[in-house]
Amino acid sequence: MSILRLDLEGLRQFPSRCGDGGYSLRALGKSAGGWDRVVKGSHATNCGYQRSCNFNLYVKDGIVLREEQVGNYPPPNDSRVPDPNPRGCAQGACYAQRMADPTRVKYPLKRAGERGAGRWQRLSWDQALTEIADTLIDILVSEGPQAIMHGGGTRVHGQETQGAGAGAFFEALGAPLPSVNTEIGDDHQGVAVTLGKVVLGDSADHWFYADLILIWGGNPACTNVANFHYIAEARYNGTRVVVISPDYNASARHGDLWVPVNIGTDAALALGLAQVIIGEKLYREEFVREQTDLPFLVRMDNGRLLREKDLKVGGREDAFYVRDLGTGEIVQAPRKSLALGGLVPALDGECELRALCGRIRVRPVFALLRERLDARFSPEKASAVTGVAAPLIRALARDIASAGGVVNVATTNWGKFHHGDLIERAILLVFALCGHMGRRGASFSALPILAPETSVGALERGGEQILVSAAGADPRYAGWKEDGCTAEMILSEYARESVACGAVPLAGLDHFLRGGLLDLDGRQAPACRPLQSYLDEALLNAWQPAAKGPPARPRALFQVGGNVFRRARATRRLLRELLGSLRLIVTMDWRMSTTALYSDYVLPACGWYERVSMSLFGCTQSPFLQLADEAVEPLYESASDWRIFVRLARKLEERAAERGISAYRDGAGRERCFEGLGERVTCGLYGEEDEEQLARDAFLNSANREELAWEEFRERGIAAYTALGTALRSMGNACDLRQGEPLVPLTKHTEKKEPYPTLTRRIQFYIDHDWYLELDEHLPTHKDCPKAGGDYPLQLTGGHTRWSMHSDWIDDAILLRLQRGEPVAFVNPRDAARRGMGDGDPMEVYNDLADFRVRAAVSPAVRPGQMVIYHGWENYQFEGWRHFKSVMASPMNPIELAGGYGHIRPDPFACSPGISDRDTRVDMKRAEGRRAGKRCAVDGRLAC
């Protein structure tokens, strides 16, 4: 048996050497006399909302020698607006250097020691798949497919057609297909409860039309490199750029105004702005009356919105009322359209009416909101919380309200705060009051997703297919249409039902219930009653998908397209919980990631330049389909995801037949047969070699892109979107998309008056769910960050690193030389001096959960009391594998368990408990010397 020892210390250092079979691009470059061919390629990973960029790949002697941006994106129709070219960044421009570096997985590996020990046995593909299949069969027969976890993620695989095999494989097994949105903190819970969706975002060229760009919750100079030029060019054009952030980050340096706000107090700042806007009557009444629930009447006796059922026997739960200023009468708000006709809803006043329960008094939400803001969030009171001077709050509010158009540039920061939902609701309130939504030059963006409307073989069903099927088979469909439900509402309902039935489990809730995180935070989540009480009630009422009983113990974990043991918060606790119960861990990746190092089997997936694939997961900021063409054949013994899963399906079928096992039962008690598994994965249309055909068919069957032949698409590498289509991951944008024009979300609501997919069918700021009333969150408010991890003086925040896309480039030699070469924590000079530390000193960071060691990067750009660590660092880059996310307790927010209320029910993106980290409290001290030896990341034992 060949035992391979992985040099983990070597991985921690600059990976400047090449492994067996590697090559030196520098040497090749000196001798290159031109190129054999040039093909189009891209990097299908989530790099902070800019997604894939079009690259030329220069191939010489079967090697990708270099890459560069193509620069062939078409100019916009408006000649005043800059074109998108060139799109790309340093990460993409050095991927060729990574294709054969020491971290590359070259052939199938099996663990030959303890998990995490770095000892491996090389296997043939057949032996690896046979052993994996046998273990899977045992798990399926004994515990069912619900015991199989799919790690998911936002990295290499699963973002394109060649990754479709993973979804088809797990669906054929009956194993759940997870949504990782809540687990990675991308959940936008505040947007979800306010707009009924989280998918909405404008294109980057749209920023050029704004009078004011608010960079609030993001750092696009680091995370949106390919699109940042639009911000700079808009500024040259007269647009003001205001950056709101605790630290003076890279984006703040390019702004006209930096507003330094205390960490996690952004809701108080936004509500201070709203108080000025309302108090000085700077709001846009027409927008507020038509688009929001602020005119809706609230009962003063119980705090509930006035409903038809309050006035009529058998009345509706979802019909609401306003007072018409013209007649003084209380009338039902329109439901099928946002258009008010001659109706002018009152925003103030109080009146009495006769309800079924007797006489009651009612007031508009707007009046209650104004009272709340006046009492709690005057600029002076907001200043005391936020640290932003009251005159600056007033001036900024007036600037926002008087601007012709304002856009926000944010990423997924708010989902990583415990009370991030309140922050988003408050910022949305400012935009809605000023009418800066749904028109050119004015938009609010959350999760900017744009997907092709396609349905081929094992790929997901298109939204149009679902609607057509529902029209003929679902008895509810006709009623929905009669009630004015839009296609977006109907598809959202089906998405929520897929979560409720367990077909799409939510990974965030899994980490709480199966990963041990719940035990960490019960004492840390301030609420009206114990957290367990909220959890018990949510499960009893079936508000969350785990309601059918205690979650099954996970027995197998497949990590494809992610790196869960790196990205997970409370890392050490999660590892202890999962490693003890998992019988099988399989990672498919092109490089040796943290999760791979803990796996039982590591299967070599080929990289981006080694197969043909089309993007399935795009971004509104760059509305183009992308092609990643095959520049070279898969290196070493690697294979595409598609090929691996087709092979594994066939091997499962083969081994089950040889062992005389015909079937097993899934979580619903249905019998599932092993026979025909391979056919179900491929739908009988494709073989394991057919990833190019799969990509071609997906492209040709996409209904919302410009007309191009497949060969022309391969030649160009890009194709423009021409419509949203009915893809589930696009419809929330709710707009018409025209080639060459900026994408402006929500215009179907603002211009065509289509209702929003909320309970009130408006932008909803008043939530009269029992828990929202109990927790005083029925209107937007501010709550202090919990002291997650213990009562310590420093608050640990972070962000998306400039020098990596998640962890794919985090140990790249070139990019490490552009920074400090190892993990660092940025701290303020005063905090460092108090502890006797200087720049570059080793320090130990600790709290009640864990500790880790890191280098200090002393910077006055970081505020006192703050520590910043940018994400992406692998566990093995820290001494003893003591990862910095181990200190993140991630207390559960009980409000995110709420359900059973119109649109507030779990869907694949939000409305379920999310994982947070920005509230983490730590302290630091100078680290003396270094520990000897490597330590196991789970329990600290010295590894041999």
Side-chain angles (χ1 to χ4, degrees):
M1 178 174 72
S2 173
I3 300 295
L4 305 171
R5 178 73 182 185
L6 184 65
D7 180 7
L8 299 180
E9 283 301 312
L11 295 182
R12 273 183 16 92
Q13 306 301 322
F14 294 134
S16 56
R17 63 192 189 280
C18 289
D20 297 339
Y23 50 81
S24 167
L25 297 187
R26 184 175 299 175
L28 278 174
K30 292 179 179 178
S31 62
W35 322 108
D36 297 334
R37 62 195 185 106
V38 180
V39 300
K40 295 296 184 291
S42 192
H43 319 93
T45 191
N46 179 3
C47 45
Y49 284 8
Q50 55 197 2
R51 288 291 174 181
S52 305
C53 300
N54 198 18
F55 271 72
N56 276 329
L57 312 179
Y58 295 86
V59 183
K60 176 72 172 179
D61 297 331
I63 296 171
V64 180
L65 194 55
R66 62 185 291 258
E67 63 259 88
E68 67 179 13
Q69 298 110 312
V70 177
N72 66 341
Y73 290 90
N77 296 340
D78 187 344
S79 60
R80 298 172 300 166
V81 180
D83 68 41
N85 300 302
R87 282 184 56 78
C89 65
Q91 294 99 301
C94 72
Y95 175 65
Q97 309 286 331
R98 301 232 67 193
M99 293 177 68
D101 75 13
T103 64
R104 181 71 191 244
V105 181
K106 301 173 185 176
Y107 26 71
L109 298 173
K110 178 183 180 181
R111 174 171 60 87
E114 293 185 4
R115 284 173 174 160
R119 296 177 61 83
W120 303 97
Q121 174 189 358
R122 178 176 177 176
L123 301 178
S124 67
W125 269 105
D126 186 69
Q127 183 180 352
L129 294 178
T130 298
E131 293 181 10
I132 293 170
D134 280 337
T135 306
L136 267 181
I137 291 169
D138 293 340
I139 293 171
L140 289 168
V141 171
S142 63
E143 303 188 53
Q146 63 274 12
I148 298 173
M149 296 177 68
H150 177 4
T154 57
R155 290 175 51 249
V156 186
H157 314 286
Q159 305 282 304
E160 310 164 276
T161 51
Q162 71 95 22
F169 176 80
F170 292 112
E171 185 176 10
L173 288 184
L177 292 171
S179 167
V180 300
N181 223 46
T182 52
E183 183 240 308
I184 60 180
D186 287 3
D187 33 333
H188 291 286
Q189 306 272 12
V191 177
V193 301
T194 306
L195 298 176
K197 54 186 171 184
V198 301
V199 173
L200 61 142
D202 61 359
S203 55
D205 57 346
H206 181 239
W207 306 340
F208 193 78
Y209 290 96
D211 296 318
L212 176 64
I213 296 175
L214 275 180
I215 300 177
W216 196 352
N219 185 11
C222 285
T223 66
N224 217 320
V225 176
N227 296 323
F228 189 81
H229 67 96
Y230 281 111
I231 297 175
E233 288 157 339
R235 195 168 173 228
Y236 278 122
N237 194 47
T239 299
R240 289 191 69 214
V241 177
V242 175
V243 181
I244 302 174
S245 66
D247 52 308
Y248 188 68
N249 58 41
S251 297
R253 297 166 196 161
H254 297 279
D256 296 287
L257 174 66
W258 172 47
V259 181
V261 61
N262 291 336
I263 302 169
T265 64
D266 302 81
L269 175 60
L271 295 171
L273 299 174
Q275 194 275 339
V276 175
I277 292 166
I278 292 177
E280 298 184 5
K281 299 188 183 302
L282 304 176
Y283 54 91
R284 301 190 181 188
E285 289 190 11
E286 296 80 5
F287 188 94
V288 170
R289 287 192 170 104
E290 177 189 87
Q291 296 283 313
T292 78
D293 70 336
L294 295 180
F296 284 20
L297 296 173
V298 179
R299 295 175 50 164
M300 292 297 94
D301 59 334
N302 61 12
R304 306 282 181 178
L305 290 166
L306 181 66
R307 291 167 162 81
E308 187 182 58
K309 71 172 187 175
D310 297 325
L311 306 180
K312 301 177 184 178
V313 176
R316 298 184 66 119
E317 172 76 20
D318 57 352
F320 303 92
Y321 289 82
V322 298
R323 183 171 64 87
D324 183 12
L325 280 178
T327 64
E329 298 295 322
I330 292 176
V331 298
Q332 191 175 122
R335 287 176 43 76
K336 297 183 180 181
S337 171
L338 297 178
L340 296 175
L343 180 64
V344 183
L347 296 177
D348 277 305
E350 180 173 330
C351 59
E352 188 174 85
L353 58 86
R354 180 174 295 279
L356 293 177
C357 65
R359 300 199 67 81
I360 59 173
R361 302 195 66 80
V362 293
R363 297 181 68 191
V365 173
F366 187 88
L368 301 178
L369 172 67
R370 184 181 57 197
E371 284 186 1
R372 187 184 187 97
L373 295 177
D374 290 346
R376 303 185 187 183
F377 297 105
S378 67
E380 287 71 24
K381 291 182 178 179
S383 177
V385 175
T386 65
V388 180
L392 178 54
I393 294 175
R394 287 191 171 88
L396 181 57
R398 293 163 186 157
D399 286 347
I400 292 172
S402 63
V406 179
V407 300
N408 72 314
V409 179
T411 49
T412 54
N413 186 48
W414 303 129
K416 297 171 178 64
F417 278 92
H418 183 79
H419 292 301
D421 60 324
L422 295 176
I423 295 173
E424 283 191 320
R425 290 173 67 193
I427 295 174
L428 267 168
L429 177 62
V430 173
F431 273 75
L433 287 172
C434 299
H436 291 315
M437 300 172 75
R439 56 188 174 86
R440 181 166 292 193
S443 66
F444 183 92
S445 294
L447 199 60
I449 299 176
L450 190 60
E453 183 180 6
T454 188
S455 183
V456 177
L459 300 182
E460 65 185 47
R461 287 196 299 164
E464 186 62 34
Q465 273 189 301
I466 296 173
L467 292 172
V468 170
S469 175
D474 191 339
R476 301 172 296 175
Y477 186 84
W480 284 338
K481 296 299 289 184
E482 176 65 24
D483 193 33
C485 290
T486 62
E488 180 186 5
M489 292 178 178
I490 295 171
L491 288 172
S492 296
E493 183 64 26
Y494 286 129
R496 293 185 179 104
E497 289 179 357
S498 70
V499 174
C501 73
V504 182
L506 303 169
L509 190 60
D510 253 7
H511 280 227
F512 282 115
L513 300 183
R514 302 205 285 184
L517 269 64
L518 189 66
D519 298 336
L520 298 176
D521 60 34
R523 68 189 189 281
Q524 297 170 345
C528 297
R529 47 193 164 105
L531 175 63
Q532 189 63 46
S533 172
Y534 291 98
L535 180 59
D536 291 343
E537 186 176 338
L539 298 182
L540 178 65
N541 292 326
W543 288 348
Q544 294 295 326
K548 295 179 180 179
R553 296 272 297 173
R555 296 304 185 192
L557 168 65
F558 279 78
Q559 181 59 82
V560 187
N563 193 357
V564 65
F565 291 153
R566 180 209 61 80
R567 70 174 186 255
R569 283 65 159 185
T571 315
R572 247 180 277 173
R573 170 61 69 93
L574 186 78
L575 283 167
R576 278 199 298 268
E577 291 291 325
L578 289 183
L579 295 184
S581 64
L582 288 168
R583 295 173 54 191
L584 175 68
I585 306 176
V586 179
T587 291
M588 301 177 192
D589 211 330
W590 62 276
R591 57 183 287 272
M592 187 61 77
S593 66
T594 291
T595 307
L597 288 168
Y598 282 108
S599 296
D600 303 309
Y601 296 89
V602 182
L603 303 180
C606 61
W608 291 301
Y609 297 170
E610 301 162 36
R611 74 286 187 278
V612 183
S613 197
M614 185 195 79
S615 58
L616 286 176
F617 207 96
C619 179
T620 60
Q621 290 187 359
S622 178
F624 293 90
L625 285 165
Q626 299 280 164
L627 177 75
D629 208 347
E630 183 180 81
V632 296
E633 293 183 356
L635 297 184
Y636 313 112
E637 295 183 17
S638 65
S640 70
D641 286 30
W642 171 259
R643 182 177 299 187
I644 293 171
F645 277 108
V646 172
R647 286 181 183 177
L648 181 55
R650 290 173 175 167
K651 181 60 71 173
L652 269 169
E653 191 174 355
E654 172 192 317
R655 288 298 300 152
E658 291 173 357
R659 294 172 57 181
I661 301 172
S662 60
Y664 58 93
R665 293 195 177 275
D666 63 20
R670 294 184 296 263
E671 185 175 84
R672 291 180 175 265
C673 296
F674 285 105
E675 185 178 358
L677 184 63
E679 188 83 357
R680 292 195 293 276
V681 169
T682 63
C683 292
L685 297 174
Y686 308 102
E688 65 181 63
E689 309 284 341
D690 289 339
E691 60 231 26
E692 179 180 338
Q693 183 180 338
L694 189 68
R696 183 194 64 199
D697 289 354
F699 174 76
L700 294 177
N701 285 279
S702 296
N704 57 335
R705 48 91 182 166
E706 63 179 309
E707 289 295 325
L708 287 179
W710 169 247
E711 289 305 323
E712 186 178 358
F713 180 46
R714 292 188 76 171
E715 181 68 25
R716 286 172 46 178
I718 56 173
Y721 283 97
T722 56
L724 294 184
T726 54
L728 286 167
R729 294 181 292 190
S730 293
M731 290 196 70
N733 293 295
C735 63
D736 293 320
L737 174 58
R738 298 178 180 88
Q739 193 173 346
E741 297 292 326
L743 189 154
V744 185
L746 306 185
T747 56
K748 286 188 177 180
H749 303 304
T750 58
E751 296 176 4
K752 297 184 178 182
K753 312 306 179 186
E754 289 187 4
Y756 291 84
T758 62
L759 178 65
T760 62
R761 301 196 174 194
R762 303 297 196 279
I763 302 174
Q764 187 167 343
F765 292 108
Y766 195 89
I767 311 293
D768 61 348
H769 186 288
D770 287 345
W771 287 9
Y772 279 78
L773 291 165
E774 175 187 329
L775 293 168
D776 192 31
E777 297 183 21
H778 51 290
L779 280 169
T781 190
H782 161 76
K783 290 187 175 181
D784 292 335
C785 297
K787 294 182 178 180
D791 189 3
Y792 293 91
L794 303 177
Q795 190 160 349
L796 178 60
T797 68
H800 198 298
T801 175
R802 172 182 287 177
W803 303 115
S804 182
M805 298 177 192
H806 296 274
S807 58
D808 282 316
W809 276 261
I810 201 66
D811 53 0
D812 178 73
I814 295 175
L815 296 179
L816 281 170
R817 291 186 179 110
L818 296 178
Q819 41 186 323
R820 302 246 181 160
E822 63 179 310
V824 297
F826 293 88
V827 295
N828 184 270
R830 296 181 197 171
D831 292 327
R834 288 193 191 104
R835 294 160 177 82
M837 294 189 305
D839 188 66
D841 285 346
M843 64 179 183
E844 186 163 317
V845 182
Y846 59 92
N847 65 9
D848 291 346
L849 265 72
D851 62 87
F852 62 91
R853 292 196 174 192
V854 70
R855 292 280 178 183
V858 179
S859 170
V862 179
R863 69 190 300 114
Q866 180 184 23
M867 176 184 292
V868 178
I869 301 182
Y870 291 100
H871 86 164
W873 298 109
E874 294 277 14
N875 302 28
Y876 57 73
Q877 292 176 298
F878 291 83
E879 185 176 331
W881 293 22
R882 304 170 78 86
H883 196 248
F884 79 98
K885 290 192 175 181
S886 292
V887 301
M888 297 173 176
S890 185
M892 181 188 284
N893 187 345
I895 204 67
E896 294 176 355
L897 287 163
Y901 178 94
H903 62 290
I904 302 182
R905 290 175 289 143
D907 67 28
F909 293 104
C911 293
S912 186
I915 305 299
S916 60
D917 54 44
R918 299 290 195 263
D919 313 270
T920 302
R921 303 304 174 96
V922 297
D923 204 347
M924 61 184 181
K925 62 183 178 181
R926 183 182 176 87
E928 300 299 334
R930 289 197 176 264
R931 295 187 179 95
K934 310 182 188 76
R935 295 182 183 269
C936 171
V938 179
D939 57 15
R941 288 178 292 105
L942 282 172
C944 54

